[in-house]
Amino acid sequence: MKTAFYNIHQQLNAKIIDFGGFDMPVQYSGIQKEHLAVRNAVGIFDVSHMGEIYIRGENALKTVQYLTVNDASKLFPGKAQYSCMCYEGGGIVDDLLVYMISEDNYLLVVNASNIEKDYKWMIKNNKYDAEITNLSDDVCLLAIQGPKAPEVVQKLTDLDLSVIKFYSFKTGPLAGYNDVIISATGYTGEKGFELYFDKNKTSPEKVWNDLMVAGQEFDIQPAGLGARDTLRLEMGLPLYGNDISAETNPIEAKLGWITKLDKEEFIGKEALEEIKSKPLQRKLIGFKMKEKKKFPRKGYPIHSEKGEIVGEVTSGGLSINLGQGIGMGYVRTDLAEEGTSVNLMIRNKAEVAEITKPPFIKK
């Protein structure tokens, strides 16, 4: 599948890869340049491959509450929250964002590779007969991220963006079009906005081009999935399919803060209560390599200093800002304390890493 910006990516000579069934740009000018543009100024990402599923009706809130682990009753129109859906046994179906559009209208934004699976899961578990609609094919999503992102987006809207706090949003005009959701969210750890708009009611390429013109004075850079991954890893943000999956639960994945066990009911609640009542066997941790030229990769085994296999890397690579290898992975709980030394097997050689609490760079 192709997003509405595919022709632009081709014109910019982006390197295109298959990601979750979509032809997506992994890089344009280079991952390092794109990464640093976002950290220091501003970058623009096409993230239209993400899924948008609406839950509507008088039982919309009940349905969102039942499907997700966070407490959606705390939301109000214009507010969003990070959450996840779990299977009955506590494994993670997907992590997602929940937007409260109005009292009877919620938007759930899910990962690209999980759209069909998530939609079927919601339909299967539609206990309160809400209206559940998958509008992913109609919604474009651009992420404008970086310290200068608010200035860029402000040029294209009459809304006062300074009043949109983190994990809040407004719906209004942007680039000559109405009904654009301007959301102070992102996956980079930087300031910025995610812009949702209907491709049938706008010219997606015009929106992209207007943003590029607005960002010229800051040398705005188009950024691909490669930089999106290095940016999120520096902030210790989990990636579904790597750090969280059906085989992991939110308690061991350090997502207990979004798991509201005091809610009346949600799928997986009983299993998660039982998991929390017992000592955890493993935890998701972050780590930094002692030797800067050693770069961890997903799947590398993690050993104790005694040589025992105690875990596995789930995400790893180079921190472009630190110039150092960093990563995340699950390790045995007794070795999960910050400052603990472990060994990563890189090319059959034990390389020392130190357990480090993310984010790896401080913002």
Side-chain angles (χ1 to χ4, degrees):
M1 294 178 65
K2 295 176 173 61
T3 74
F5 305 99
Y6 181 77
N7 289 338
I8 287 178
H9 304 323
Q10 283 195 313
Q11 292 163 15
L12 293 171
N13 295 316
K15 180 181 178 182
I16 304 291
I17 64 166
D18 175 76
F19 185 85
F22 289 82
D23 294 329
M24 296 296 294
V26 67
Q27 62 179 22
Y28 301 86
S29 55
I31 292 173
Q32 181 170 341
K33 181 178 179 181
E34 296 162 27
H35 178 111
L36 292 174
V38 174
R39 284 280 179 251
N40 300 323
V42 61
I44 178 171
F45 299 84
D46 172 16
V47 281
S48 303
H49 61 317
M50 300 292 282
E52 290 82 21
I53 299 172
Y54 283 83
I55 297 181
R56 301 185 176 103
E58 62 179 352
N59 289 326
L61 175 58
K62 277 187 176 182
T63 302
V64 174
Q65 288 285 65
Y66 183 62
L67 291 170
T68 65
V69 303
N70 208 335
D71 187 358
S73 73
K74 303 295 185 184
L75 293 174
F76 50 85
K79 189 66 178 171
Q81 70 180 191
Y82 179 54
S83 191
C84 70
M85 297 188 295
C86 284
Y87 294 104
E88 289 88 346
I92 298 173
V93 178
D94 202 2
D95 64 330
L96 47 85
L97 295 182
V98 178
Y99 291 82
M100 185 178 181
I101 309 297
S102 65
E103 187 174 328
D104 58 358
N105 188 5
Y106 292 79
L107 166 62
L108 277 59
V109 181
V110 304
N111 285 297
S113 58
N114 291 336
I115 295 172
E116 197 60 33
K117 179 191 78 174
D118 289 358
Y119 179 59
K120 288 179 178 177
W121 177 255
M122 293 179 198
I123 295 295
K124 176 185 175 184
N125 292 283
N126 188 10
K127 181 178 178 179
Y128 297 103
D129 297 320
E131 177 190 336
I132 303 177
T133 312
N134 180 9
L135 293 180
S136 304
D137 290 345
D138 295 324
V139 177
C140 290
L141 176 56
L142 294 176
I144 318 301
Q145 300 281 292
K148 299 298 182 181
E151 293 177 59
V152 172
V153 180
Q154 188 65 76
K155 292 181 182 183
L156 300 180
T157 182
D158 295 333
L159 294 174
D160 180 3
L161 300 185
S162 67
V163 303
I164 306 178
K165 303 306 180 185
F166 192 47
Y167 267 76
S168 296
F169 67 96
K170 285 188 176 294
T171 303
L174 182 127
Y177 299 105
N178 294 319
D179 301 323
V180 177
I181 294 176
I182 304 174
S183 172
T185 48
Y187 196 47
T188 64
E190 297 297 334
K191 291 181 180 179
F193 295 95
E194 293 182 308
L195 311 174
Y196 299 83
F197 49 95
D198 188 333
K199 71 179 184 183
N200 304 304
K201 298 178 181 178
T202 60
S203 167
E205 291 191 3
K206 177 186 181 299
V207 177
W208 173 288
N209 291 331
D210 285 358
L211 286 162
M212 290 296 289
V213 170
Q216 273 182 348
E217 67 171 297
F218 307 117
D219 193 25
I220 188 172
Q221 295 292 314
L225 296 178
R228 184 170 160 87
D229 191 52
T230 56
L231 289 158
R232 71 93 192 169
L233 182 55
E234 283 187 339
M235 301 310 295
L237 301 174
L239 175 64
Y240 191 89
N242 284 38
D243 314 297
I244 53 177
S245 69
E247 283 70 50
T248 64
N249 65 71
I251 308 301
E252 66 185 7
K254 291 197 170 179
L255 295 178
W257 62 280
I258 65 168
T259 307
K260 308 303 184 183
L261 295 174
D262 56 349
K263 279 204 309 180
E264 184 176 341
E265 63 170 353
F266 62 88
I267 301 171
K269 178 181 177 180
E270 290 182 5
L272 292 172
E273 285 176 330
E274 185 175 354
I275 289 167
K276 192 170 183 181
S277 71
K278 299 176 181 177
L280 286 176
Q281 299 302 304
R282 63 175 188 168
K283 288 182 181 177
L284 182 65
I285 51 87
F287 61 83
K288 289 181 183 177
M289 301 304 299
K290 284 287 190 179
E291 194 174 327
K292 289 200 170 185
K293 292 183 179 180
K294 302 300 180 182
F295 305 133
R297 299 292 178 204
K298 179 183 177 181
Y300 284 4
I302 302 174
H303 288 214
S304 69
E305 290 183 313
K306 296 178 180 178
E308 307 166 279
I309 296 179
V310 294
E312 182 177 277
V313 176
T314 54
S315 288
L318 170 69
S319 164
I320 290 172
N321 280 75
L322 298 176
Q324 183 176 12
I326 59 171
M328 296 192 291
Y330 287 89
V331 299
R332 213 170 61 199
T333 309
D334 60 307
L335 295 173
E337 288 298 316
E338 189 167 13
T340 302
S341 290
V342 292
N343 293 327
L344 266 64
M345 300 307 295
I346 301 178
R347 294 176 182 171
N348 296 318
K349 184 182 176 185
E351 302 289 351
V352 179
E354 182 178 296
I355 305 296
T356 306
K357 184 180 180 182
F360 298 101
I361 63 170
K362 308 304 179 187
K363 298 303 298 179

